[in-house]
Amino acid sequence: MTPAELSRTVVRVVRSAVDEGALGRVGDAVPEAVKVERPRPGGGGDYASGIALKLAAAAGLPPREVAEVLRGRIAGQPGIALVEISGPGFLNITLDRGTRFEAVRQVLDAPTTYGHGETLLGEAHDFVAGAEERARVVTEVVVRLLRSQGAVARIVGRGEPGQVLAVVPCLVPGLADLVGVDAARWAVLRAARHDRPRTDVEELLAQRESNSLFRVRYAYSRSRALTRNALDLGFAGEPGAAVEGEGLLGLVGDYPGVLEGAARHRAPDRLARYLEAVADELLRFQHAVLPLGDEKPSAAHRSRLALAEAAGTVLAGGLSLLGVDAPEFL
């Protein structure tokens, strides 16, 4: 179950509770979408939601009472193993273990469209690209992100009405001529729109861990190398539950929600930072994927490989949306 699917599940539960009269006077306060995210310190489970706190005032009930109404209903949904309440009324949701691994299969079954959805279907946006290079790059990627979530988005001519994405100018004209197109794009997209991009030419060209683009591309190339090495050993990836790498698995499952958030907030930097997190986790996980020494390939190795391949696919897809190449060999 992806965050987007979990969000839709929670919305259905809230609407059902309202229809049954269990949430007092909520009525039109039921949101179209519910934010689910990684639990905050002190919380447990795979995901958390503060929907009970948002509904409390409209319901005329304490937040924890609203949370209790929702807790049992959410816990009864397919794919949910446990729902607990923490703090003032946060819902901490633990997914059924089998459901969590379904994300790997979804990635491998639809490698070019995983994470794309219809959450913004019906929205239409026109943008006017700014004169400065960074504004043009950001606008181009925002349009691509919106389209990935079902919105109609385009860049119109300067004389036509449209939204203008204001960004802090890049201080190094012709940065792409100095470091290459991919590194220049990454530099301007990695920074939030209100921040100045990193323009240290030496660092942007460095083939080392301090260079975040290098880490992301290197992690993708390692995922491809793992597939080749596994084939040499006579086995292939197969999604399954016998796998370590809980952190990487969680990140792969987060991808649809990351894309939706980056599109809604016009924030390519969210996607870039997420790709860094996936890359770092994949580089830690890679050493557990292949058999060691005389060890024979097992179901665990096949499922680990499938997870590594799914993570690599997510990296390639995210880089593609940013307009950055994902080379198989570095």
Side-chain angles (χ1 to χ4, degrees), residues 132-134 168-180 182-192 195-206 208 210-212:
E132 197 264 336
E133 181 65 21
R134 183 185 181 194
V168 173
C170 178
L171 299 182
V172 180
L175 183 62
D177 295 331
L178 299 172
V179 300
D182 285 339
R185 288 181 69 91
W186 180 266
V188 300
L189 293 169
R190 170 61 178 78
D195 292 334
R196 296 190 184 280
R198 187 171 189 174
T199 55
D200 182 336
V201 173
E202 181 179 350
E203 184 58 35
L204 291 175
L205 291 172
R208 55 178 179 244
S210 59
N211 182 339
S212 58

Side-chain angles (χ1 to χ4, degrees), residues 219-237:
Y220 170 70
S221 72
R222 287 299 305 146
S223 74
R224 302 303 301 139
L226 290 170
T227 298
R228 294 193 300 271
N229 293 340
L231 288 175
D232 289 342
L233 293 173
F235 76 101

Side-chain angles (χ1 to χ4, degrees), residues 105-184:
R105 193 177 302 279
Q106 291 176 4
V107 176
L108 300 180
D109 286 347
T112 60
T113 58
Y114 176 69
H116 295 221
E118 298 182 343
T119 56
L120 302 183
L121 191 65
E123 294 190 12
H125 303 272
D126 287 344
F127 296 93
V128 178
E132 197 264 336
E133 181 65 21
R134 183 185 181 194
R136 290 199 296 272
V137 171
V138 170
T139 303
E140 170 202 324
V141 175
V142 165
V143 165
R144 202 174 290 148
L145 288 169
L146 287 166
R147 288 174 176 171
S148 79
Q149 300 306 303
V152 175
R154 62 175 183 161
I155 299 175
V156 299
R158 293 200 173 209
E160 301 177 61
Q163 304 172 57
V164 177
L165 295 178
V167 299
V168 173
C170 178
L171 299 182
V172 180
L175 183 62
D177 295 331
L178 299 172
V179 300
V181 173
D182 285 339

